[in-house]
Amino acid sequence: MAATSAMVTGGVAGCFSTEDDGNGNGGNGGNGGNGGDSTTITTFMQSIPTEMNWNTWAPSYPWTPSWLLLEPVQRWYADGSMSLDLIEDWEYDADTQELTVHHNEDFYWWNGDVVNAADKYWYGEVARLLNPDSSDYAALHLENNGGTIIREYKEPQNPELVGNYLGGYLGEMMRGHRDKYKPWAEELQDATTDDERVEIEERLGEEMPIDMDTFIDEGLGLGAFQAVDYDEQGIYCELFEDHPYADEIEIDKLDYVLASGDAIAQQMVGGDLDFGFAQLSNWLGDQEVDHLETIGEFESTFMRKLEFMMDGQGSKHIRQLEFRRAIAHLLSIENVSENFAPPNTVRTAQTGLPEAVTEQRLGDYADDFIEYPVGADEEGAAELLNSIGYEQDGDSWVDDEGEPISLEMVVPDWASNPARTAADKLSNFGFETDLQVLEGAAYNDSTEDHVDFDLSMGNHGSLIAHPYAYFRPTHAAGNDLGDEALIEDALANGESRSPYNGKELIVEIPEEVGQEDLSGSTQEVNLYELFQEWMTADTEERSKEIAETFTWFWNFYLPGIDLFQPMSGSWGNVENWEFATDNSDWEAYRGAFHAAMRGHISPK
């Protein structure tokens, strides 16, 4: 298997990035198209420049700014494709379990050094040797004078999925110059105990601060716009002439200014900011501004889901398939999606995958899946509840023991509006529903070790639209069963449910796709073990079979209800700038930044 730097069918990111936090207000406005001798474009960040540390093992790493000041090794797009700008080609040898990645010599660090596989090798060796037992790699090798890295896996890999790991640790970006990490990797090569490794990791975070002074002075970036100055209010950049796309870029300077909260919208409306990521409405709500437009709009690869937890006070109810299906009938997904302010598209089928991924990866396999309503179907919900002994008692519903149904819903604050819509519907139907909305950190604390409530809302997906991302058993954006050690211990002890959230580890589903009960032939699916097999499946046919099993599991068993897909994109000042959107660079995470570095934004 091989791939070039052209667009290729991609795999899936191992994780997904989150927004940076920051505060302050923005600075210099853009002057694109002003007829001067140079053009300056302005965007914003929420990280304070004076607090940044470009060492990923230290606090305050600027995750979002890295997408503008560094370069991605591999980049995933909304249509499931992938680009490999820093990589010439690659191949995976199933016999030796080796992934060989040949880097090109097209990119340069700002200090003039060629960017190559040696940068990934020494950075990756630090990551591998800090946790050698848990690393997927048995060894890393550097060949061809630093042009090729070979990653030797401990276990066989799925040839279809291995291409997702071409960048190694935190692999979507080229995050560190080889000279910075080589001494630490060499020290770790001599470490023999965990205590030694912990001590080295602590010193790595403390003794190698890569602050903005170091980042600029030592030329440790490689993006198209080189940081030349900074202060508390921003990072100020000039076009890097040695960047391979420099000749296609018609922008001389880029100001990356600090803004957060209301200041972002104020500066956008005031004309101080020229472009940025996400939909315009994400920042301005319903406010309309003539000079700003959403650019490169596309459906996000993430969905938003209502998730059934099965170890809360209402677990007696939630653990019953018919009860979960009743909620699927009861809710109006259309109304829930309408009460999520950013633009989105309703998910009309429960396949566990977005619509485009379902069509691309499953073909007609899902045509016979069980259909769940998009609008509210109270009659259908009542029939399902009656089938398992529930009855209506006045304005309430009671179970087969005459006890009223009481459910607790806990959601992060971003989901407050759609959660209230869902909770109100449940309450009005006759379920006692207690809704709690927690700010992000508090919600994370409430789900860290054990989940003791019944319903929640979360993300479902990844940066890449490959089926395996949507069913990860150890990831909240998949089908979360807890962490790996907990799941393995539970299975070894013969437990049928996860101690983390009460979800079943082994399920029974019909052999016949579309059958609504277990009256015919069935198959037992160990969700964790099947996922592990997926990672090592050696044929595309078996990989597809596993994908089909997981989607059918989601449709039949309904561990959650996919509600809608947020629309993503970028925004720009169309009064001063031209935005060329006849390319795929916009349709990816932080698309605006990538488009600017590929010459797709030019002054009017």
Side-chain angles (χ1 to χ4, degrees):
M1 176 179 292
T4 68
S5 58
M7 301 296 288
V8 297
T9 299
V12 63
C15 62
F16 52 88
S17 301
T18 56
E19 299 293 338
D20 285 320
D21 293 323
N23 52 68
N25 35 47
N28 308 312
N31 61 350
N34 62 4
D37 294 332
S38 66
T39 55
T40 301
I41 195 167
T42 304
T43 189
F44 75 95
M45 60 185 162
Q46 294 164 286
S47 299
I48 302 173
T50 54
E51 295 180 1
M52 291 182 181
N53 191 334
W54 292 84
N55 174 0
T56 53
W57 280 279
S60 303
Y61 184 80
W63 295 101
T64 293
S66 72
W67 287 86
L68 184 57
L69 300 178
L70 302 178
E71 280 284 346
V73 173
Q74 54 191 142
R75 189 164 182 79
W76 298 281
Y77 297 87
D79 63 0
S81 60
M82 178 174 70
S83 64
L84 307 172
D85 286 7
L86 274 66
I87 293 174
E88 186 70 30
D89 57 54
W90 62 276
E91 54 274 338
Y92 174 69
D93 188 325
D95 294 329
T96 62
Q97 298 170 193
E98 291 181 344
L99 173 64
T100 302
V101 182
H102 305 285
H103 282 241
N104 58 41
E105 295 187 354
D106 297 340
F107 288 79
Y108 291 84
W109 295 97
W110 295 336
N111 62 20
D113 293 341
V114 171
V115 178
N116 61 21
D119 298 300
K120 272 296 179 184
Y121 172 78
W122 291 110
Y123 181 78
E125 269 292 80
V126 171
R128 184 182 73 87
L129 294 172
L130 282 172
N131 298 283
D133 292 337
S134 61
S135 174
D136 291 336
Y137 305 121
L140 302 180
H141 308 282
L142 189 63
E143 296 185 352
N144 297 334
N145 295 319
T148 299
I149 184 171
I150 299 174
R151 298 183 177 97
E152 180 183 339
Y153 283 92
K154 295 176 180 176
E155 302 292 339
Q157 298 297 302
N158 183 330
E160 181 190 1
L161 301 180
V162 73
N164 304 311
Y165 309 108
L166 301 180
Y169 180 68
L170 297 180
E172 70 271 19
M173 300 295 289
M174 180 63 80
R175 297 196 184 275
H177 190 284
R178 49 192 174 270
D179 290 350
K180 284 295 180 183
Y181 293 97
K182 181 178 179 179
W184 296 96
E186 290 177 333
E187 186 173 350
L188 282 163
Q189 288 171 347
D190 296 329
T192 57
T193 68
D194 288 340
D195 287 343
E196 288 179 272
R197 297 183 188 101
V198 169
E199 188 269 336
I200 293 172
E201 183 172 11
E202 290 175 351
R203 288 194 290 107
L204 171 59
E206 295 171 357
E207 297 177 11
M208 195 181 74
I210 306 178
D211 55 20
M212 281 304 303
D213 282 328
T214 303
F215 187 67
I216 292 173
D217 293 345
E218 298 186 15
L220 299 179
L222 62 152
F225 296 96
Q226 180 176 358
V228 296
D229 198 6
Y230 78 100
D231 55 30
E232 290 187 351
Q233 299 303 317
I235 301 173
Y236 311 106
C237 309
E238 297 177 356
L239 181 63
F240 179 45
E241 297 295 344
D242 287 333
H243 192 274
Y245 290 87
D247 290 344
E248 300 175 29
I249 298 173
E250 300 179 51
I251 302 168
D252 301 306
K253 298 180 180 181
L254 183 146
D255 289 351
Y256 201 7
V257 300
L258 181 64
S260 65
D262 293 339
I264 298 172
Q266 291 170 3
Q267 292 185 68
M268 289 172 64
V269 173
D272 295 327
L273 301 176
D274 296 311
F275 76 109
F277 55 85
Q279 294 260 319
L280 191 62
S281 59
N282 286 29
W283 307 103
L284 301 183
D286 295 331
Q287 187 175 188
E288 295 185 5
V289 183
D290 290 340
H291 70 283
L292 298 177
E293 289 183 8
T294 295
I295 309 294
E297 186 177 52
F298 65 96
E299 283 187 338
S300 170
T301 54
F302 287 91
M303 298 180 287
R304 301 294 186 265
K305 62 179 175 178
L306 174 74
E307 187 159 16
F308 295 115
M309 305 298 188
M310 302 185 187
D311 211 18
Q313 64 177 11
S315 61
K316 172 184 177 180
H317 314 300
I318 298 294
R319 289 185 178 190
Q320 298 185 78
L321 173 58
E322 293 82 0
F323 189 89
R324 299 195 297 277
R325 289 181 176 174
I327 291 181
H329 280 259
L330 180 59
L331 293 182
S332 169
I333 296 178
E334 294 173 324
N335 289 345
V336 173
S337 72
E338 287 171 359
N339 286 310
F340 183 70
N344 63 83
T345 57
V346 173
R347 186 68 189 101
T348 60
Q350 295 302 317
T351 66
L353 303 171
E355 183 175 0
V357 183
T358 300
E359 293 176 355
Q360 292 168 4
R361 298 285 183 169
L362 300 184
D364 60 3
Y365 177 78
D367 288 353
D368 295 326
F369 275 16
I370 299 167
E371 293 186 15
Y372 297 95
V374 176
D377 174 18
E378 294 190 10
E379 183 177 342
E383 289 179 1
L384 285 160
L385 292 172
N386 289 153
S387 73
I388 52 175
Y390 287 69
E391 296 180 350
Q392 198 163 13
D393 183 9
D395 293 332
S396 299
W397 279 84
V398 296
D399 62 21
D400 55 359
E401 296 178 352
E403 295 295 324
I405 298 169
S406 179
L407 302 174
E408 184 179 13
M409 178 185 289
V410 180
V411 301
D413 49 10
W414 67 260
S416 59
N417 286 342
R420 287 191 178 94
T421 305
D424 287 347
K425 186 65 178 179
L426 297 177
S427 296
N428 292 336
F429 185 70
F431 298 168
E432 296 178 5
T433 308
D434 174 32
L435 172 64
Q436 296 183 49
V437 178
L438 303 178
E439 61 90 22
Y443 179 81
N444 292 339
D445 288 344
S446 72
T447 59
E448 184 175 359
D449 299 317
H450 178 245
V451 180
D452 60 2
F453 47 84
D454 307 305
L455 299 165
S456 188
M457 285 190 176
N459 290 308
H460 190 188
S462 181
L463 291 184
I464 181 64
H466 188 284
Y468 119 85
Y470 296 86
F471 302 107
R472 291 170 288 176
T474 59
H475 204 296
N479 181 45
D480 193 11
L481 302 174
D483 65 38
E484 190 170 37
L486 180 145
I487 296 171
E488 290 180 346
D489 286 347
L491 290 171
N493 293 329
E495 297 179 39
S496 61
R497 292 184 179 273
S498 167
Y500 172 63
N501 55 17
K503 289 186 178 183
E504 284 186 88
L505 301 171
I506 302 172
V507 298
E508 187 178 6
I509 59 175
E511 291 278 5
E512 182 180 347
V513 171
Q515 183 171 316
E516 297 189 19
D517 57 38
L518 297 172
S519 59
S521 299
T522 64
Q523 62 174 310
E524 184 179 271
V525 179
N526 184 315
L527 297 169
Y528 178 75
E529 291 184 357
L530 183 63
F531 191 84
Q532 303 312 306
E533 181 189 348
W534 203 353
M535 298 301 94
T536 60
D538 58 4
T539 66
E540 289 189 18
E541 180 181 7
R542 179 54 182 155
S543 187
K544 184 179 179 182
E545 288 175 352
I546 295 173
E548 291 173 345
T549 299
F550 270 106
T551 57
W552 171 224
F553 145 75
W554 184 277
N555 179 256
F556 176 84
Y557 188 75
L558 214 64
I561 301 173
D562 285 320
L563 303 168
F564 52 86
Q565 288 175 254
M567 296 299 295
S568 189
S570 305
W571 60 268
N573 178 345
V574 294
E575 184 176 277
N576 293 336
W577 300 91
E578 296 278 0
F579 298 88
T581 57
D582 57 343
N583 59 81
S584 62
D585 284 330
W586 297 92
E587 298 184 8
Y589 187 73
R590 299 296 183 260
F593 295 163
H594 202 62
M597 294 200 295
R598 295 300 181 265
H600 303 320
I601 303 176
S602 57
K604 283 190 171 180

